[in-house]
Amino acid sequence: NAGVTQTPKFRILKIGQSMTLQCAQDMNHNYMYWYRQDPGMGLKLIYYSVGAGITDKGEVPNGYNVSRSTTEDFPLRLELAAPSQTSVYFCASKQYEEKLFFGSGTQLSVL
Amino acid sequence: GNSVTQMEGPVTLSEEAFLTINCTYTATGYPSLFWYVQYPGEGLQLLLKATKADDKGSNKGFEATYRKETTSFHLEKGSVQVSDSAVYFCALRNQGGKLIFGQGTELSVKP
């Protein structure tokens, strides 16, 4: 049972480039989340989804997009990377009131 | 609005010392409270939780009691080990079901 899998683990982007952070879970969870973790700032919710075909904005959605075409996958898209998007990104999933399962994170630097 | 405030880190302790990491919250209604732990290079994992006032969550020797009168959920452990070195996050789940995290407290335990 792999749980929540994120790829890549590390990435360096130039300003203005685009990329997609991949997230997949094999637990048949309905709820999926993208967080960013900045040093000393805790986790901030970017986007979330309550099921396939349904997504909604979190606290800090600007500069990001998501899609949820299947229950398993919840990719996060950065269209025009900016230095302010340098962060560690975590994907997470859960089923209703159960605990949140996190992936191991993607460390992104935008230079 | 809803928020979580944790004590500043890093906290450095010797092995077998007593640990307290303070956490206070602001919330409307009756949130559920959580402690998550993040070991180096990994995603967050649920450590313990409490869902109503006066509940005590416990796991792996860690404890926290939901104190509504002081809006606190302090994390304690009687005797820390080197393997407890990690970042600890306090969080609440509001009535809308979203998790709101504190900024995290880094714990370093020296042999």
mmCIF file with all atom_site columns, all heavy atoms in Angstrom, chain B residues 25-38:
data_model
loop_
_atom_site.group_PDB
_atom_site.id
_atom_site.type_symbol
_atom_site.label_atom_id
_atom_site.label_alt_id
_atom_site.label_comp_id
_atom_site.label_asym_id
_atom_site.label_entity_id
_atom_site.label_seq_id
_atom_site.pdbx_PDB_ins_code
_atom_site.Cartn_x
_atom_site.Cartn_y
_atom_site.Cartn_z
_atom_site.occupancy
_atom_site.B_iso_or_equiv
_atom_site.pdbx_formal_charge
_atom_site.auth_seq_id
_atom_site.auth_comp_id
_atom_site.auth_asym_id
_atom_site.auth_atom_id
_atom_site.pdbx_PDB_model_num
ATOM 1   N N   . TYR B 1 25 ? -5.355  28.142 20.583 1.00 0.00 ? 25 TYR B N   1
ATOM 2   C CA  . TYR B 1 25 ? -6.134  28.256 19.351 1.00 0.00 ? 25 TYR B CA  1
ATOM 3   C C   . TYR B 1 25 ? -7.225  29.315 19.523 1.00 0.00 ? 25 TYR B C   1
ATOM 4   O O   . TYR B 1 25 ? -7.627  29.671 20.640 1.00 0.00 ? 25 TYR B O   1
ATOM 5   C CB  . TYR B 1 25 ? -6.748  26.912 18.967 1.00 0.00 ? 25 TYR B CB  1
ATOM 6   C CG  . TYR B 1 25 ? -7.801  26.424 19.933 1.00 0.00 ? 25 TYR B CG  1
ATOM 7   C CD1 . TYR B 1 25 ? -9.149  26.757 19.758 1.00 0.00 ? 25 TYR B CD1 1
ATOM 8   C CD2 . TYR B 1 25 ? -7.459  25.639 21.028 1.00 0.00 ? 25 TYR B CD2 1
ATOM 9   C CE1 . TYR B 1 25 ? -10.107 26.321 20.645 1.00 0.00 ? 25 TYR B CE1 1
ATOM 10  C CE2 . TYR B 1 25 ? -8.420  25.199 21.916 1.00 0.00 ? 25 TYR B CE2 1
ATOM 11  C CZ  . TYR B 1 25 ? -9.738  25.540 21.722 1.00 0.00 ? 25 TYR B CZ  1
ATOM 12  O OH  . TYR B 1 25 ? -10.704 25.114 22.608 1.00 0.00 ? 25 TYR B OH  1
ATOM 13  N N   . THR B 1 26 ? -7.675  29.783 18.392 1.00 0.00 ? 26 THR B N   1
ATOM 14  C CA  . THR B 1 26 ? -8.847  30.649 18.296 1.00 0.00 ? 26 THR B CA  1
ATOM 15  C C   . THR B 1 26 ? -9.784  30.020 17.289 1.00 0.00 ? 26 THR B C   1
ATOM 16  O O   . THR B 1 26 ? -9.373  29.704 16.165 1.00 0.00 ? 26 THR B O   1
ATOM 17  C CB  . THR B 1 26 ? -8.463  32.062 17.821 1.00 0.00 ? 26 THR B CB  1
ATOM 18  O OG1 . THR B 1 26 ? -7.500  32.620 18.711 1.00 0.00 ? 26 THR B OG1 1
ATOM 19  C CG2 . THR B 1 26 ? -9.675  32.963 17.767 1.00 0.00 ? 26 THR B CG2 1
ATOM 20  N N   . ALA B 1 27 ? -11.025 29.811 17.716 1.00 0.00 ? 27 ALA B N   1
ATOM 21  C CA  . ALA B 1 27 ? -11.968 29.162 16.811 1.00 0.00 ? 27 ALA B CA  1
ATOM 22  C C   . ALA B 1 27 ? -13.387 29.468 17.225 1.00 0.00 ? 27 ALA B C   1
ATOM 23  O O   . ALA B 1 27 ? -13.659 29.724 18.398 1.00 0.00 ? 27 ALA B O   1
ATOM 24  C CB  . ALA B 1 27 ? -11.749 27.650 16.802 1.00 0.00 ? 27 ALA B CB  1
ATOM 25  N N   . THR B 1 28 ? -14.276 29.441 16.259 1.00 0.00 ? 28 THR B N   1
ATOM 26  C CA  . THR B 1 28 ? -15.701 29.505 16.543 1.00 0.00 ? 28 THR B CA  1
ATOM 27  C C   . THR B 1 28 ? -16.206 28.078 16.677 1.00 0.00 ? 28 THR B C   1
ATOM 28  O O   . THR B 1 28 ? -15.699 27.156 16.022 1.00 0.00 ? 28 THR B O   1
ATOM 29  C CB  . THR B 1 28 ? -16.451 30.233 15.420 1.00 0.00 ? 28 THR B CB  1
ATOM 30  O OG1 . THR B 1 28 ? -16.124 29.602 14.184 1.00 0.00 ? 28 THR B OG1 1
ATOM 31  C CG2 . THR B 1 28 ? -16.030 31.690 15.358 1.00 0.00 ? 28 THR B CG2 1
ATOM 32  N N   . GLY B 1 29 ? -17.161 27.898 17.535 1.00 0.00 ? 29 GLY B N   1
ATOM 33  C CA  . GLY B 1 29 ? -17.723 26.560 17.701 1.00 0.00 ? 29 GLY B CA  1
ATOM 34  C C   . GLY B 1 29 ? -16.798 25.652 18.485 1.00 0.00 ? 29 GLY B C   1
ATOM 35  O O   . GLY B 1 29 ? -16.034 26.095 19.345 1.00 0.00 ? 29 GLY B O   1
ATOM 36  N N   . TYR B 1 30 ? -16.835 24.378 18.143 1.00 0.00 ? 30 TYR B N   1
ATOM 37  C CA  . TYR B 1 30 ? -16.107 23.355 18.895 1.00 0.00 ? 30 TYR B CA  1
ATOM 38  C C   . TYR B 1 30 ? -15.217 22.561 17.950 1.00 0.00 ? 30 TYR B C   1
ATOM 39  O O   . TYR B 1 30 ? -15.616 21.508 17.446 1.00 0.00 ? 30 TYR B O   1
ATOM 40  C CB  . TYR B 1 30 ? -17.098 22.445 19.610 1.00 0.00 ? 30 TYR B CB  1
ATOM 41  C CG  . TYR B 1 30 ? -18.030 23.217 20.519 1.00 0.00 ? 30 TYR B CG  1
ATOM 42  C CD1 . TYR B 1 30 ? -19.292 23.617 20.080 1.00 0.00 ? 30 TYR B CD1 1
ATOM 43  C CD2 . TYR B 1 30 ? -17.630 23.588 21.793 1.00 0.00 ? 30 TYR B CD2 1
ATOM 44  C CE1 . TYR B 1 30 ? -20.122 24.348 20.900 1.00 0.00 ? 30 TYR B CE1 1
ATOM 45  C CE2 . TYR B 1 30 ? -18.464 24.319 22.626 1.00 0.00 ? 30 TYR B CE2 1
ATOM 46  C CZ  . TYR B 1 30 ? -19.707 24.702 22.163 1.00 0.00 ? 30 TYR B CZ  1
ATOM 47  O OH  . TYR B 1 30 ? -20.545 25.432 22.977 1.00 0.00 ? 30 TYR B OH  1
ATOM 48  N N   . PRO B 1 31 ? -14.000 23.055 17.733 1.00 0.00 ? 31 PRO B N   1
ATOM 49  C CA  . PRO B 1 31 ? -13.124 22.365 16.772 1.00 0.00 ? 31 PRO B CA  1
ATOM 50  C C   . PRO B 1 31 ? -12.564 21.069 17.331 1.00 0.00 ? 31 PRO B C   1
ATOM 51  O O   . PRO B 1 31 ? -12.527 20.875 18.553 1.00 0.00 ? 31 PRO B O   1
ATOM 52  C CB  . PRO B 1 31 ? -11.998 23.378 16.554 1.00 0.00 ? 31 PRO B CB  1
ATOM 53  C CG  . PRO B 1 31 ? -11.918 24.114 17.864 1.00 0.00 ? 31 PRO B CG  1
ATOM 54  C CD  . PRO B 1 31 ? -13.349 24.215 18.338 1.00 0.00 ? 31 PRO B CD  1
ATOM 55  N N   . SER B 1 32 ? -12.117 20.188 16.473 1.00 0.00 ? 32 SER B N   1
ATOM 56  C CA  . SER B 1 32 ? -11.267 19.072 16.861 1.00 0.00 ? 32 SER B CA  1
ATOM 57  C C   . SER B 1 32 ? -9.817  19.547 16.810 1.00 0.00 ? 32 SER B C   1
ATOM 58  O O   . SER B 1 32 ? -9.461  20.396 15.992 1.00 0.00 ? 32 SER B O   1
ATOM 59  C CB  . SER B 1 32 ? -11.449 17.887 15.909 1.00 0.00 ? 32 SER B CB  1
ATOM 60  O OG  . SER B 1 32 ? -12.757 17.368 15.997 1.00 0.00 ? 32 SER B OG  1
ATOM 61  N N   . LEU B 1 33 ? -8.987  18.994 17.689 1.00 0.00 ? 33 LEU B N   1
ATOM 62  C CA  . LEU B 1 33 ? -7.599  19.435 17.794 1.00 0.00 ? 33 LEU B CA  1
ATOM 63  C C   . LEU B 1 33 ? -6.647  18.270 17.530 1.00 0.00 ? 33 LEU B C   1
ATOM 64  O O   . LEU B 1 33 ? -6.957  17.126 17.895 1.00 0.00 ? 33 LEU B O   1
ATOM 65  C CB  . LEU B 1 33 ? -7.336  20.025 19.183 1.00 0.00 ? 33 LEU B CB  1
ATOM 66  C CG  . LEU B 1 33 ? -8.214  21.224 19.557 1.00 0.00 ? 33 LEU B CG  1
ATOM 67  C CD1 . LEU B 1 33 ? -7.964  21.628 21.010 1.00 0.00 ? 33 LEU B CD1 1
ATOM 68  C CD2 . LEU B 1 33 ? -7.958  22.399 18.630 1.00 0.00 ? 33 LEU B CD2 1
ATOM 69  N N   . PHE B 1 34 ? -5.510  18.585 16.932 1.00 0.00 ? 34 PHE B N   1
ATOM 70  C CA  . PHE B 1 34 ? -4.580  17.558 16.492 1.00 0.00 ? 34 PHE B CA  1
ATOM 71  C C   . PHE B 1 34 ? -3.136  17.986 16.756 1.00 0.00 ? 34 PHE B C   1
ATOM 72  O O   . PHE B 1 34 ? -2.820  19.174 16.773 1.00 0.00 ? 34 PHE B O   1
ATOM 73  C CB  . PHE B 1 34 ? -4.707  17.325 14.971 1.00 0.00 ? 34 PHE B CB  1
ATOM 74  C CG  . PHE B 1 34 ? -6.096  16.987 14.513 1.00 0.00 ? 34 PHE B CG  1
ATOM 75  C CD1 . PHE B 1 34 ? -7.028  17.987 14.281 1.00 0.00 ? 34 PHE B CD1 1
ATOM 76  C CD2 . PHE B 1 34 ? -6.465  15.667 14.303 1.00 0.00 ? 34 PHE B CD2 1
ATOM 77  C CE1 . PHE B 1 34 ? -8.315  17.682 13.845 1.00 0.00 ? 34 PHE B CE1 1
ATOM 78  C CE2 . PHE B 1 34 ? -7.743  15.349 13.867 1.00 0.00 ? 34 PHE B CE2 1
ATOM 79  C CZ  . PHE B 1 34 ? -8.664  16.360 13.639 1.00 0.00 ? 34 PHE B CZ  1
ATOM 80  N N   . TRP B 1 35 ? -2.294  17.000 16.925 1.00 0.00 ? 35 TRP B N   1
ATOM 81  C CA  . TRP B 1 35 ? -0.857  17.184 16.820 1.00 0.00 ? 35 TRP B CA  1
ATOM 82  C C   . TRP B 1 35 ? -0.351  16.271 15.707 1.00 0.00 ? 35 TRP B C   1
ATOM 83  O O   . TRP B 1 35 ? -0.624  15.069 15.698 1.00 0.00 ? 35 TRP B O   1
ATOM 84  C CB  . TRP B 1 35 ? -0.131  16.854 18.121 1.00 0.00 ? 35 TRP B CB  1
ATOM 85  C CG  . TRP B 1 35 ? -0.133  17.977 19.097 1.00 0.00 ? 35 TRP B CG  1
ATOM 86  C CD1 . TRP B 1 35 ? -0.940  18.129 20.185 1.00 0.00 ? 35 TRP B CD1 1
ATOM 87  C CD2 . TRP B 1 35 ? 0.727   19.128 19.089 1.00 0.00 ? 35 TRP B CD2 1
ATOM 88  N NE1 . TRP B 1 35 ? -0.654  19.303 20.835 1.00 0.00 ? 35 TRP B NE1 1
ATOM 89  C CE2 . TRP B 1 35 ? 0.372   19.926 20.197 1.00 0.00 ? 35 TRP B CE2 1
ATOM 90  C CE3 . TRP B 1 35 ? 1.768   19.549 18.247 1.00 0.00 ? 35 TRP B CE3 1
ATOM 91  C CZ2 . TRP B 1 35 ? 1.015   21.133 20.483 1.00 0.00 ? 35 TRP B CZ2 1
ATOM 92  C CZ3 . TRP B 1 35 ? 2.411   20.743 18.530 1.00 0.00 ? 35 TRP B CZ3 1
ATOM 93  C CH2 . TRP B 1 35 ? 2.035   21.521 19.644 1.00 0.00 ? 35 TRP B CH2 1
ATOM 94  N N   . TYR B 1 36 ? 0.393   16.897 14.764 1.00 0.00 ? 36 TYR B N   1
ATOM 95  C CA  . TYR B 1 36 ? 1.063   16.155 13.707 1.00 0.00 ? 36 TYR B CA  1
ATOM 96  C C   . TYR B 1 36 ? 2.573   16.265 13.920 1.00 0.00 ? 36 TYR B C   1
ATOM 97  O O   . TYR B 1 36 ? 3.060   17.265 14.443 1.00 0.00 ? 36 TYR B O   1
ATOM 98  C CB  . TYR B 1 36 ? 0.715   16.729 12.328 1.00 0.00 ? 36 TYR B CB  1
ATOM 99  C CG  . TYR B 1 36 ? -0.611  16.254 11.771 1.00 0.00 ? 36 TYR B CG  1
ATOM 100 C CD1 . TYR B 1 36 ? -1.805  16.833 12.178 1.00 0.00 ? 36 TYR B CD1 1
ATOM 101 C CD2 . TYR B 1 36 ? -0.655  15.227 10.836 1.00 0.00 ? 36 TYR B CD2 1
ATOM 102 C CE1 . TYR B 1 36 ? -3.022  16.396 11.661 1.00 0.00 ? 36 TYR B CE1 1
ATOM 103 C CE2 . TYR B 1 36 ? -1.859  14.783 10.317 1.00 0.00 ? 36 TYR B CE2 1
ATOM 104 C CZ  . TYR B 1 36 ? -3.031  15.376 10.730 1.00 0.00 ? 36 TYR B CZ  1
ATOM 105 O OH  . TYR B 1 36 ? -4.228  14.935 10.220 1.00 0.00 ? 36 TYR B OH  1
ATOM 106 N N   . VAL B 1 37 ? 3.295   15.225 13.472 1.00 0.00 ? 37 VAL B N   1
ATOM 107 C CA  . VAL B 1 37 ? 4.749   15.228 13.587 1.00 0.00 ? 37 VAL B CA  1
ATOM 108 C C   . VAL B 1 37 ? 5.362   15.030 12.202 1.00 0.00 ? 37 VAL B C   1
ATOM 109 O O   . VAL B 1 37 ? 4.834   14.262 11.389 1.00 0.00 ? 37 VAL B O   1
ATOM 110 C CB  . VAL B 1 37 ? 5.237   14.143 14.572 1.00 0.00 ? 37 VAL B CB  1
ATOM 111 C CG1 . VAL B 1 37 ? 4.785   12.745 14.165 1.00 0.00 ? 37 VAL B CG1 1
ATOM 112 C CG2 . VAL B 1 37 ? 6.753   14.175 14.734 1.00 0.00 ? 37 VAL B CG2 1
ATOM 113 N N   . GLN B 1 38 ? 6.437   15.756 11.950 1.00 0.00 ? 38 GLN B N   1
ATOM 114 C CA  . GLN B 1 38 ? 7.138   15.650 10.677 1.00 0.00 ? 38 GLN B CA  1
ATOM 115 C C   . GLN B 1 38 ? 8.593   15.292 10.939 1.00 0.00 ? 38 GLN B C   1
ATOM 116 O O   . GLN B 1 38 ? 9.374   16.121 11.415 1.00 0.00 ? 38 GLN B O   1
ATOM 117 C CB  . GLN B 1 38 ? 7.051   16.967 9.904  1.00 0.00 ? 38 GLN B CB  1
ATOM 118 C CG  . GLN B 1 38 ? 7.686   16.918 8.528  1.00 0.00 ? 38 GLN B CG  1
ATOM 119 C CD  . GLN B 1 38 ? 7.616   18.261 7.813  1.00 0.00 ? 38 GLN B CD  1
ATOM 120 O OE1 . GLN B 1 38 ? 7.567   19.318 8.439  1.00 0.00 ? 38 GLN B OE1 1
ATOM 121 N NE2 . GLN B 1 38 ? 7.610   18.225 6.496  1.00 0.00 ? 38 GLN B NE2 1
#
